[in-house]
Amino acid sequence: MNRRELLKSSSAAGVLALVGGAGSAGASGHDVLLGFVGDLLIDRDRPDEVYAPVRDLLAAPDVLFGNMEGAYSDDPRSVPSAGAALVPPAHNLDALGRAGFDVLSRANNHILDGGREVMLENRRRLHAQGVATCGAGGSLEEARAPAILEAGGVKIAFLAYASVFPRGFEARGSLPGLAPLRAHNFYQDLSDDYYLPGADPRVSTVPYKPDHDNLAADIASAREQADLVVASFHWGDHFKAHHLTDHELRTARGCIDQGVDIVVGHHQHVLRGMEWYRDRPVFYGLGHFVFDIRLDRWPEEVVASMPVLDDDSDFYGVSPRKGWPLMPLHREARMTALGYVRLAGGRPSEFGFVPCRLNPEGVVRAVDPETLEGREVVDYVDHGCSSQKLNGRVDRSGYVDLAGHRGARILPAEQEA
């Protein structure tokens, strides 16, 4: 069990209900604190060490959410369409419950890297620890089902979907997999007045209607079951900084139009902007909170073909980085955050983030926003807001306190302090 009591596991869809601990504020729903992080992947002999410096921070929220990337197994059987597999040894999985996570999305592009049986076995192990899951299951119905938790008298439904994943990872009928939210790419010439053969095109997306119809139905159903709805998405272009696709913007705002209260994005590996939309918070991308990429587990010929890059490289994909054995990604991927949303009367009243950083050993720690390291994270998020013309700016007039760590609030741009 984690730090919150597991109340029940109801229905074949695996819906779990949890109740908040001492930090909850009772039936009024006032001062309930929700915490959010992005991708989570632990692959090491002593997995608990990655969270040691932020254990008090992770314990602060009444409900803590993250995206569990990968599959944990000592006997993986990857599905044929999987690419470079992320399958840490099985003992790493239990560190997620011990760290205090209450609910995990499992809708992502690595969830079937160990095979369908491993995905289902991982789910059973998480539930046994008192960790609720959403976004993947033994059927499409299970994958679409919300995880329903309760804190401070507020019943919260968590939905999770993936837009980035290998073909065949999606659940279909009674076939296990993830909850998909697909869109098709549409390419247009950069200029309407010139022929530009070979030039980079403009890319827009067309929603895949069956998935988006399912999303609308799931939101409506979740609204009937809970007081507040959180929708999580694995999406975005991880080869660019700050950039938001039309799929992300359209989906996030469309979800809120349909009744979602909080939108949380992940997958991009570097932080994205945040905004208020119709008085509801949107985290477009919380990056990864902990992400151990062990290239020594990848095929030797694949790793040998990758250049070893210096910190001045602008490449955002996976390639070995000097001095960063567990983080073969762009230097900006070493910045991360714990996002928070404070509820008053059961509705979002404030949101923001605590800046964090990963060290060369892959351990995450909070950094003060007034230090050089912390200010870099805050400035990065703020630029993500302004460059994408989002309705959000970092409040630099003062900071909030979460378990002794200072965080930055996001204000609507028109109310910027």
Side-chain angles (χ1 to χ4, degrees):
M1 289 289 180
N2 65 4
R3 70 187 188 279
R4 296 176 176 89
E5 181 186 2
L6 176 65
L7 292 182
K8 65 181 179 179
S9 176
S10 62
S11 88
V15 177
L16 297 182
L18 306 177
V19 65
S24 295
S28 68
H30 286 279
D31 296 325
V32 173
L33 185 68
L34 307 181
F36 302 91
V37 302
D39 300 343
L40 301 163
L41 182 74
I42 314 171
D43 190 349
R44 56 185 64 210
D45 293 335
R46 297 183 298 277
D48 294 296
E49 68 188 11
V50 298
Y51 298 119
V54 291
R55 193 165 294 278
D56 56 344
L57 179 61
L58 296 179
D62 296 288
V63 177
L64 181 63
F65 168 92
N67 171 61
M68 190 194 98
E69 198 99 9
Y72 293 80
S73 177
D74 298 324
D75 185 25
R77 294 178 175 85
S78 182
V79 298
S81 59
L86 299 180
V87 189
H91 73 272
N92 288 278
L93 178 69
D94 295 338
L96 294 168
R98 291 193 294 265
F101 286 97
D102 297 299
V103 54
L104 295 171
S105 163
R106 305 186 66 231
N108 59 67
N109 56 309
H110 290 289
I111 200 61
L112 290 186
D113 282 4
R116 290 187 170 85
E117 285 302 319
V118 168
M119 184 269 287
L120 295 172
E121 187 268 345
N122 282 186
R123 186 179 65 159
R124 289 190 293 269
R125 287 177 59 193
L126 290 167
H127 289 185
Q129 297 177 50
V131 182
T133 62
C134 52
S139 66
L140 181 57
E141 179 184 5
E142 286 189 9
R144 291 171 54 195
I148 299 179
L149 297 84
E150 185 176 330
V154 181
K155 191 176 290 186
I156 307 163
F158 289 83
L159 297 166
Y161 306 85
S163 296
V164 177
F165 58 90
R167 295 178 186 273
F169 273 39
E170 70 274 15
R172 286 168 285 166
S174 60
L175 183 69
L178 57 80
L181 190 77
R182 289 163 286 194
H184 299 294
N185 287 329
F186 179 68
Y187 301 98
Q188 299 170 276
D189 286 335
L190 192 61
S191 172
D192 294 328
D193 298 325
Y194 284 82
Y195 293 106
L196 296 168
D200 289 339
R202 289 180 290 172
V203 181
S204 57
T205 60
V206 179
Y208 179 61
K209 190 174 185 302
D211 289 355
H212 289 260
D213 287 348
N214 286 345
L215 173 62
D218 295 345
I219 293 170
S221 176
R223 296 257 17 127
E224 294 178 355
Q225 300 177 65
D227 306 307
L228 186 125
V229 178
V230 178
S232 160
F233 300 95
H234 206 64
W235 59 13
D237 181 353
H238 68 282
F239 290 108
K240 297 177 182 177
H242 303 301
H243 172 67
L244 294 175
T245 65
D246 64 345
H247 173 68
E248 294 164 90
L249 293 164
R250 180 181 59 238
T251 302
R253 294 166 181 173
C255 280
I256 292 174
D257 290 340
Q258 295 176 73
V260 167
D261 298 284
I262 301 168
V263 173
V264 183
H266 35 81
H267 167 69
Q268 305 100 330
H269 291 289
V270 292
L271 294 167
R272 294 297 200 248
M274 306 172 185
E275 74 170 341
W276 287 96
Y277 175 74
R278 296 184 61 183
D279 297 325
R280 296 294 186 264
V282 181
F283 300 95
Y284 280 101
L286 285 172
H288 51 236
F289 197 63
V290 168
F291 213 81
D292 294 341
I293 300 180
R294 293 283 301 270
L295 292 180
D296 57 335
R297 302 193 193 281
W298 290 25
E300 290 184 10
E301 63 274 15
V302 173
V303 178
S305 67
M306 298 177 175
V308 179
L309 301 177
D310 294 313
D311 263 7
D312 60 357
S313 170
D314 286 331
F315 179 60
Y316 283 85
V318 175
S319 200
R321 310 281 169 156
K322 294 178 180 177
W324 294 82
L326 294 177
M327 187 59 61
L329 291 165
H330 195 277
R331 60 188 177 277
E332 293 166 8
R334 303 162 197 166
M335 296 185 288
T336 184
L338 178 136
Y340 76 89
V341 176
R342 197 177 302 279
L343 305 182
R347 289 290 175 262
S349 62
E350 174 186 313
F351 93 105
F353 63 99
V354 175
C356 299
R357 298 189 79 106
L358 291 155
N359 68 14
E361 289 73 44
V363 175
V364 64
R365 58 189 173 85
V367 288
D368 191 279
E370 285 296 323
T371 65
L372 181 63
E373 286 186 309
R375 194 159 53 247
E376 184 182 7
V377 181
V378 171
D379 290 346
Y380 194 85
V381 172
D382 208 22
H383 183 69
C385 298
S386 60
S387 67
Q388 303 303 296
K389 298 179 174 57
L390 303 179
N391 183 33
R393 296 292 183 273
V394 172
D395 177 12
R396 298 179 185 270
S397 67
Y399 298 103
V400 299
D401 181 276
L402 271 70
H405 301 281
R406 294 208 290 179
R409 294 184 301 164
I410 297 294
L411 299 179
E414 63 269 17
Q415 297 178 19
E416 185 177 0

